[in-house]
């Protein structure tokens, strides 16, 4: 197997493990009432200022209607708070409740540990090469996503 085939196998395996393990590690007894997808919505809402539904939907590459269905459940479960904008009553703003902030921090901890395991044995130069390669991969995905959306 050549180097590119080997790297492809690593990427496929990593993706599979992240999806599988994340759902087991992140969804603990404390957060058993939400899914992995819910956790990613919570991540996109973040800890900063409230965000509009359309901003969160765009960040997740879903329609506002699709997000609304998931958001209704997260509000009902107490993870998200929803209010109308004072400047424009048509705009719905979402932010995390205390429970949602706890879930966000829990998710962030998993990703921080994953990144630590990835780079802790690398030299500064190796980290730079890895970051460059991952940046190239991200750029490819963004361009590819654009071609898919453009063909619809």
């Amino acid at each position: 197997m050549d180097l590119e085939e080997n790297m492809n196998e690593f990427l496929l395996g990593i993706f599979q493990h992240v999806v599988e393990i994340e759902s087991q590690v992140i969804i603990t007894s404390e957060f058993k009432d939400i899914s992995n997808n819910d956790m990613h919505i919570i991540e996109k809402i973040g800890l900063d200022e409230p965000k509009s539904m359309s901003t969160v939907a765009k960040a997740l590459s879903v329609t506002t209607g699709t997000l609304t269905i998931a958001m209704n459940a997260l509000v009902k479960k107490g993870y998200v708070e929803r209010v109308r904008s004072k400047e424009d009553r048509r705009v719905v703003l979402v932010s995390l409740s205390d429970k949602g902030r706890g879930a966000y921090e829990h998710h962030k901890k998993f990703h921080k540990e994953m990144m630590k395991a990835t780079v802790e044995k690398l030299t500064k130069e190796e980290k730079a090469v890895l970051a460059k390669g991952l940046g190239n991969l991200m750029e490819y995905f963004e361009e590819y996503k654009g071609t898919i959306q453009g063909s619809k």
Side-chain angles (χ1 to χ4, degrees):
M1 187 180 312
D2 71 5
L3 183 58
E4 286 186 11
E5 288 174 342
N6 197 12
M7 290 186 335
N8 185 57
E9 290 297 316
F10 282 145
L11 287 173
L12 292 173
I14 289 167
F15 179 76
Q16 183 179 8
H17 286 313
V18 168
V19 170
E20 182 182 319
I21 293 170
E22 190 174 50
S23 64
Q24 295 170 4
V25 171
I26 290 177
I27 311 304
T28 63
S29 59
E30 184 179 1
F31 306 115
K32 65 181 177 227
D33 59 342
I34 58 174
S35 69
N36 235 9
N37 286 339
D38 291 336
M39 193 64 88
H40 289 113
I41 293 169
I42 288 169
E43 178 184 34
K44 293 299 182 193
I45 294 170
L47 300 176
D48 299 327
E49 295 296 313
K51 291 187 171 86
S52 70
M53 289 282 288
S54 58
T55 298
V56 177
K58 185 176 180 180
L60 292 165
S61 299
V62 299
T63 67
T64 305
T66 298
L67 179 62
T68 299
I69 295 165
M71 201 62 73
N72 288 342
L74 287 170
V75 168
K76 187 175 180 179
K77 293 173 186 175
Y79 288 93
V80 175
E81 296 171 347
R82 192 168 31 194
V83 296
R84 294 239 175 236
S85 167
K86 291 178 179 151
E87 290 81 34
D88 185 345
R89 302 283 300 152
R90 297 170 296 175
V91 176
V92 176
L93 300 174
V94 291
S95 60
L96 298 179
S97 65
D98 288 341
K99 186 176 181 181
R101 288 177 184 275
Y104 177 93
E105 291 296 340
H106 180 68
H107 187 229
K108 183 178 175 181
K109 181 181 176 205
F110 170 74
H111 282 272
K112 188 174 183 176
E113 290 170 358
M114 184 174 62
M115 288 313 308
K116 180 181 176 191
T118 302
V119 300
E120 69 184 347
K121 295 178 184 173
L122 299 180
T123 66
K124 185 177 180 179
E125 293 79 18
E126 290 168 331
K127 289 176 188 177
V129 171
L130 178 60
K132 173 73 174 148
L134 292 174
N136 291 345
L137 183 60
M138 186 64 160
E139 196 174 293
Y140 168 77
F141 284 142
E142 291 297 327
E143 289 173 9
Y144 194 82
K145 186 171 125 181
T147 61
I148 292 171
Q149 291 173 341
S151 67
K152 289 183 180 180

